[in-house]
Amino acid sequence: IYSYGLLLAEMLNKQLSFSHIEGSFTEGMIRELVLSGDRPTLPVFVPDSIVELIQSCWEEDPFKRPSATLIKQKINSIYFGS
């Protein structure tokens, strides 16, 4: 679910997450950034409801992240009002 949130952020930003890291980087560097709470920024044009959904996917505690079913329901509610 965390990765899904990253994918959404990458599509909205039109760039890879953590692309601000210059030079070569390792998986360990990304892990440290994530564990320290670093998250991609989202463009200002993104509606609050989408920002909240993405940020919920990035909850530090995996058990607080929404399930795929809940994400689908939220997206349907946002876009179709159901």
Side-chain angles (χ1 to χ4, degrees):
I1 296 299
Y2 180 90
S3 296
Y4 182 71
L6 285 181
L7 177 65
L8 292 175
E10 288 174 354
M11 290 189 311
L12 291 166
N13 284 315
K14 299 180 183 176
Q15 67 182 19
L16 295 175
S17 298
F18 306 110
S19 61
H20 62 280
I21 299 173
E22 295 187 18
S24 61
F25 56 90
T26 65
E27 185 177 315
M29 291 171 68
I30 298 294
R31 179 178 162 78
E32 289 302 315
L33 285 171
V34 170
L35 292 176
S36 69
D38 192 7
R39 302 293 188 267
T41 57
L42 298 170
V44 295
F45 65 80
V46 178
D48 290 342
S49 55
I50 299 295
V51 170
E52 290 169 9
L53 174 62
I54 292 170
Q55 289 176 340
S56 71
C57 292
W58 295 338
E59 280 285 343
E60 186 174 329
D61 180 350
F63 294 104
K64 291 183 179 179
R65 296 175 192 159
S67 66
T69 301
L70 183 57
I71 290 171
K72 180 182 174 188
Q73 290 171 350
K74 287 184 178 189
I75 290 172
N76 282 337
S77 177
I78 292 166
Y79 287 103
F80 304 114
S82 53

